[in-house]
Amino acid sequence: MGTNALGNYLKDRRARLDPAAFGFTPVRRRTPGLRREEVAQRANVSTTWYTWLEQGRGGAPSADVLDRIARAMMLTDIEREHLFLIGLGRLPEARYHAPEGITPRLQRVLDTLDHSPAFIRTATWDVIAWNKAAAAVMTDYSTLPDGQRNVLRMMFRDSRVRAAQSNWESVARYVVASFRADVARAGAARDVQSLVDELSATSPEFAALWADNDVQAHGDGVKILHHPLAGPLSMEFSGFAVDGRPDLTMVIYNPATAEDADKIGRLLKSKP
């Protein structure tokens, strides 16, 4: 007889819920947690159907039912993912949550990379944290309003960023294709629609690239920037997922040669 992983998980989660926190009368209960009918009520499913799920009867639930149960139990994102994996054998569709910022510990990680420009961007390519090297070599993001710290907006609307690229057309195509893939993976299409509309209306080049529907992984590679003071800088870049924050990516640019590192060092020393 096979195990009922879904039913066992639902029962375990249900037993850990505090009835008072969900607005149910704190009457005497024979077992801890919410009752089956209370979860069913919150999930807007029948008590019979929910009972069958816990008992391993009635076949596989739909994604909609699992999603409603996840909301009813106020599961975390990782708990919701696990519910879908054991219930349907796949991950749920992505739900994008706009990030609220980073921890001081994560900022300190950026700051330890003293000669390597590094920043953290969201799934919608908004830069939300950076180090001194990134400000000196790439863009001083602190001088930009929050809504303007977007990599795509800077690529297509900022003449200084455009002039710094050794091959702007190739870089722009890469950026748009990687952005599209990240947005789809994060389920953030609605969140970026206003940005896409803005850039499509103001940049024929963006409109053409967006219409191509290309997708590409960010990966790693070598980038040559033409800095107005330091001249050409060759840097190796890589993107890293931030553990526990699937909505964030840390992008690090390492100087490709000792000469490039020296140039970055001189730029940093010239900064007040």
Side-chain angles (χ1 to χ4, degrees):
M1 184 174 179
T3 59
N4 177 19
L6 176 61
N8 291 337
Y9 188 66
L10 289 174
K11 283 185 284 188
D12 178 78
R13 296 298 100 179
R14 179 167 60 82
R16 298 183 185 210
L17 301 177
D18 178 8
F22 288 82
F24 293 108
T25 305
V27 296
R28 179 175 296 180
R29 293 167 180 254
R30 289 179 295 177
T31 56
L34 295 188
R35 300 186 176 109
R36 285 172 174 166
E37 58 267 28
E38 291 169 339
V39 173
Q41 174 188 331
R42 286 180 50 82
N44 196 26
V45 298
S46 74
T47 301
T48 299
W49 173 237
Y50 179 79
T51 300
W52 284 356
L53 283 182
E54 286 200 0
Q55 294 175 346
R57 301 163 56 195
S62 68
D64 178 62
V65 165
L66 286 187
D67 212 30
R68 279 187 275 160
I69 291 173
R71 287 197 298 269
M73 290 186 170
M74 298 180 68
L75 299 185
T76 64
D77 285 345
I78 191 64
E79 289 171 336
R80 175 173 174 262
E81 287 183 359
H82 187 68
L83 180 68
F84 270 72
L85 285 171
I86 60 177
L88 293 177
R90 64 170 177 81
L91 290 171
E93 292 184 6
R95 295 187 306 186
Y96 179 67
H97 303 286
E100 298 178 355
I102 66 166
T103 63
R105 178 179 297 175
L106 198 51
Q107 181 64 55
R108 288 194 292 271
V109 172
L110 289 177
D111 293 339
T112 60
L113 303 167
D114 50 358
H115 281 57
S116 296
F119 60 83
I120 293 175
R121 61 168 173 76
T122 68
T124 58
W125 287 50
D126 290 309
V127 176
I128 61 171
W130 55 91
N131 63 6
K132 291 181 180 178
V137 172
M138 306 177 81
T139 298
D140 187 353
Y141 300 102
S142 66
T143 64
L144 302 175
D146 287 348
Q148 300 301 311
R149 297 171 188 164
N150 181 274
V151 175
L152 262 77
R153 183 175 279 117
M154 289 187 288
M155 180 65 63
F156 288 92
R157 300 291 300 276
D158 191 326
S159 59
R160 293 173 301 172
V161 173
R162 181 168 184 146
Q165 311 305 316
S166 59
N167 185 337
W168 183 87
E169 291 80 5
S170 176
V171 173
R173 179 174 295 278
Y174 171 82
V175 165
V176 172
S178 300
F179 170 79
R180 182 190 292 276
D182 279 358
V183 165
R185 187 180 299 113
R190 292 183 180 179
D191 299 84
V192 302
Q193 192 57 55
S194 61
L195 173 64
V196 170
D197 291 343
E198 171 199 326
L199 294 179
S200 296
T202 57
S203 171
E205 292 155 318
F206 174 83
L209 290 173
W210 190 253
D212 284 344
N213 285 301
D214 288 341
V215 291
Q216 184 170 341
H218 185 271
D220 52 22
V222 177
K223 186 181 186 73
I224 298 177
L225 282 179
H226 295 281
H227 193 277
L229 298 178
L233 287 168
S234 180
M235 293 178 290
E236 301 169 340
F237 67 87
S238 298
F240 301 92
V242 177
D243 190 31
R245 293 293 301 273
D247 54 320
L248 301 181
T249 298
M250 180 182 292
V251 183
I252 300 174
Y253 291 82
N254 286 315
T257 67
E259 181 183 359
D260 294 309
D262 288 340
K263 289 181 179 180
I264 294 174
R266 289 195 292 271
L267 281 176
L268 290 169
K269 287 180 180 179
S270 68
K271 285 285 185 179

